[in-house]
């Protein structure tokens, strides 16, 4: 699985609104897409609740993993963007 490490760009971190936008985009792909923070098990990027359990605040480093390069790039870009 390919991995990209990105910095959370949203001022509120990966909370309700940014998590919902990322999960909606991830759900458009049939491929598995995982998000993770260091020291924690990666979670399904198509689940709002699972994304929120990461507790990733603004500036946190998040890994994005997928076998689908297009999905990987899109979700990584979203995590890095200010989605607020």
């Amino acid at each position: 699985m390919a991995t990209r490490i990105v910095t959370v760009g949203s001022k509120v971190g990966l909370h309700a609104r940014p998590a919902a936008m990322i999960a909606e985009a991830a759900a458009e792909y049939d491929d598995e897409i995982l998000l993770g923070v260091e020291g924690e098990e990666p979670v399904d990027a198509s689940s709002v609740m699972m994304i929120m359990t990461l507790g990733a605040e603004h500036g946190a480093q998040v890994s994005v993993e997928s076998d689908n390069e297009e999905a990987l790039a899109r979700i990584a870009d979203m995590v890095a963007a200010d989605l607020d």
Side-chain angles (χ1 to χ4, degrees):
M1 216 179 252
T3 302
R4 267 180 66 185
I5 305 295
V6 294
T7 302
V8 174
S10 290
K11 300 280 189 271
V12 297
L14 296 184
H15 294 288
R17 180 176 165 81
M21 294 172 72
I22 291 167
E24 183 177 331
E28 294 176 15
Y29 297 94
D30 291 330
D31 304 278
E32 182 175 51
I33 306 167
L34 301 174
L35 297 179
V37 294
E38 190 173 337
E40 298 291 329
E41 195 69 30
V43 300
D44 181 357
S46 65
S47 168
V48 176
M49 294 305 292
M50 295 305 292
I51 294 172
M52 290 174 57
T53 66
L54 291 173
E57 299 294 331
H58 176 76
Q61 298 292 301
V62 173
S63 64
V64 182
E65 303 175 39
S66 181
D67 287 330
N68 181 323
E69 288 293 328
E70 177 187 332
L72 176 69
R74 181 175 178 197
I75 300 305
D77 288 347
M78 290 183 79
V79 171
D82 185 357
L83 300 175
D84 301 320

